[in-house]
Amino acid sequence: MFDFLQGYDVLGAFWTTIQLTVWSAIGSLVWGTVLAAMRVSPVPVMRGFGTGYVNVVRNIPLTVIIVFTSLGLFQTLGVSLGADTFDVINFRLAVLGLIAYTSAFVCEALRSGINTVPLGQVEAARALGLSFIQVLTLVVLPQAFRSVVGPLANVLIALTKNTTVAAAIGVPEAALLMREMIENEAQLILISAVFAAGFIVLTLPTGLFLGRVGKKVAVKR
Amino acid sequence: MSGAAVSKEPFTPGMNSRALVELHHVDKHFGPLHVLRDIDLTVDRGEVVVVIGPSGGGKSTLCRAINRLETIDSGEIAIDGRPLPAEGRELARLRADVGMVFQSFNLFAHKTVLQNVTLGQIKVRGKDRKSAEERARTLLDRVGVGTQAAKYPAQLSGGQQQRVAIARALAMDPKIMLFDEPTSALDPEMINEVLEVMRQLARDGMTMVVVTHEMGFARSAANRVVFMADGRIVEETTPDEFFTNPRTDRAKDFLSKILHH
């Protein structure tokens, strides 16, 4: 019944999906944190940039962003991100696009966490003589992260599924292979089911695990 | 109130070598509300100044302005002869020398009691962890919560939390301690344990500015009472003088409302 799988590297395609997810997750966590820091910083220019970035980027369809990294950044501006084969270039461009997009959502999740930290603790930290960066990294962000593990898990699950958009610029991940198989084989429903199951296998444990982590690290007040 | 004309003598902080905190013609508004009106105040080294007065009179704002948690509109504030820096590293350095205790304790909820007291020592003073912890344990013992060092703030009573907050501020070896209504959020039976720690501090010679509604503390521990109402310093005298012989009607009215029940 699963003969149609023969000759296709389904696991390899999902491995690419995982790699896209992991690199993008790390990148968007870092960039999203920087954006959140900008949005709460005392410097108006930074606040303006952070706000502007989030409001522009999160309202652009991901497909447009991913296609732009290929057509705009690579083919027009020649940005190849240090790679020389098309496969690697496209992979890196897709990661860049996914980071640019997902970080806006990470930023907003994190900012809602920052808002849960009582202002009094920030004042106490400032009164001790800590700098803005120290207040942020020692007092505010550790508590903010703990309170938004759940929302960040949502962002991660969405990111995992969003990696399928990388198919638009030819990154050989799961969705690209699925399209190819649907064209070649007469097993439309089964093929879809296999790939759907594959994504659930990736995202379901993520959600359950992070849900538990979130409960465990929650700050008692 | 008659000397309405603002005197223009130059402000030279540090002229009086006994003065640790100097406020000179300080004004502040919250929107249309004039919360600090032409405040002049000097706090000498080793002096305990208690600020009392009706709510909304500007007491807390005055206290918070001293380490610039509130900015001021005009006037000057100097600490230890140096004008208060506007922001940045200089301001952070000055704040490290000014201990502050808040009404709502404001302990760092994600850190243990011990970590609360070592954080500033390690990150601001650059001490190593071991000597910071040693100092922290000494201070926690001194305020009577030494056995709670490994707990998180949420596991402590209000009185214990406030004493930890005092230890946290003392760990920075501040030149002065500011107390912004330190007992107002406490259950009555816990007020005394905090006041006792503060009395001990005063006896040890710490310079203190205390905003409070605890008249007993003002009588027993203050060198000077500053009575504030409507953004002004209305009276400034010894506790004995203030409580037995207030000069202004505003102070008489205030005292009559709080002392007769």
Side-chain angles (χ1 to χ4, degrees), chain B residues 140-154:
Chain B
L140 288 172
D141 282 339
R142 185 165 145 197
V143 298
V145 287
T147 54
Q148 318 287 336
K151 290 191 182 168
Y152 285 88

Side-chain angles (χ1 to χ4, degrees), chain B residues 25-229:
Chain B
H25 293 317
V26 170
D27 269 277
K28 177 173 180 72
H29 297 77
F30 282 129
L33 189 67
H34 201 163
V35 278
L36 295 180
R37 298 172 193 250
D38 196 22
I39 299 289
D40 277 304
L41 181 68
T42 304
V43 181
D44 288 343
R45 282 168 218 284
E47 195 180 19
V48 177
V49 173
V50 170
V51 185
I52 59 178
S55 296
K59 309 185 297 294
S60 282
T61 310
L62 173 72
C63 187
R64 292 162 56 84
I66 294 176
N67 67 353
R68 214 176 155 86
L69 284 179
E70 297 290 351
T71 56
I72 54 174
D73 298 341
S74 62
E76 284 135 303
I77 299 177
I79 292 180
D80 209 2
R82 288 169 45 210
L84 211 53
E87 55 191 27
R89 223 165 271 280
E90 281 298 302
L91 178 61
R93 201 167 300 151
L94 177 131
R95 279 177 176 154
D97 288 337
V98 179
M100 178 127 191
V101 176
F102 300 84
Q103 179 176 351
S104 47
F105 329 134
N106 297 340
L107 294 178
F108 307 131
H110 63 307
K111 294 195 176 288
T112 62
V113 164
L114 189 69
Q115 289 169 337
N116 265 278
V117 184
T118 55
L119 184 73
Q121 299 183 65
I122 294 170
K123 299 294 178 184
V124 178
R125 296 291 193 217
K127 282 198 204 170
D128 61 272
R129 182 168 304 277
K130 195 163 160 289
S131 61
E133 283 184 357
E134 234 164 72
R135 172 91 171 119
R137 288 188 192 280
T138 308
L139 287 167
L140 288 172
D141 282 339
R142 185 165 145 197
V143 298
V145 287
T147 54
Q148 318 287 336
K151 290 191 182 168
Y152 285 88
Q155 299 170 286
L156 270 52
S157 73
Q160 289 172 327
Q161 288 191 52
Q162 193 61 299
R163 284 182 284 154
V164 173
I166 293 174
R168 174 175 68 180
L170 289 175
M172 305 300 290
D173 296 317
K175 294 172 179 165
I176 178 174
M177 289 281 286
L178 307 175
F179 293 84
D180 185 6
E181 301 203 22
T183 57
S184 298
L186 293 175
D187 293 339
E189 77 267 26
M190 292 170 186
I191 290 176
N192 257 325
E193 63 191 49
V194 171
L195 290 182
E196 197 39 58
V197 168
M198 291 167 61
R199 280 197 190 94
Q200 187 57 50
L201 264 183
R203 282 196 290 271
D204 293 347
M206 175 62 77
T207 310
M208 295 163 61
V209 174
V210 183
V211 174
T212 188
H213 294 292
E214 294 299 326
M215 297 306 142
F217 178 83
R219 265 179 195 277
S220 64
N223 299 118
R224 189 152 44 113
V225 168
V226 169
F227 176 71
M228 273 189 87

Side-chain angles (χ1 to χ4, degrees), chain A residues 21-85:
Chain A
T21 307
V22 170
W23 290 117
S24 308
I26 294 170
S28 39
L29 198 59
V30 172
W31 182 225
T33 305
V34 172
L35 285 171
M38 285 184 179
R39 292 204 68 173
V40 297
S41 99
V43 185
V45 178
M46 287 197 169
R47 273 207 307 278
F49 176 83
T51 310
Y53 181 97
V54 167
N55 283 316
V56 170
V57 171
R58 74 172 170 188
N59 291 309
I60 301 175
L62 179 58
T63 315
V64 174
I65 292 176
I66 296 283
V67 169
F68 170 80
T69 62
S70 178
L71 297 182
L73 285 184
F74 174 54
Q75 293 177 25
T76 310
L77 299 172
V79 176
S80 61
L81 300 173
D84 37 26
T85 66

Side-chain angles (χ1 to χ4, degrees), chain A residues 186-200:
Chain A
Q187 294 283 9
L188 187 72
I189 293 176
L190 266 181
I191 291 170
S192 306
V194 164
F195 281 92
F199 273 96
I200 290 174

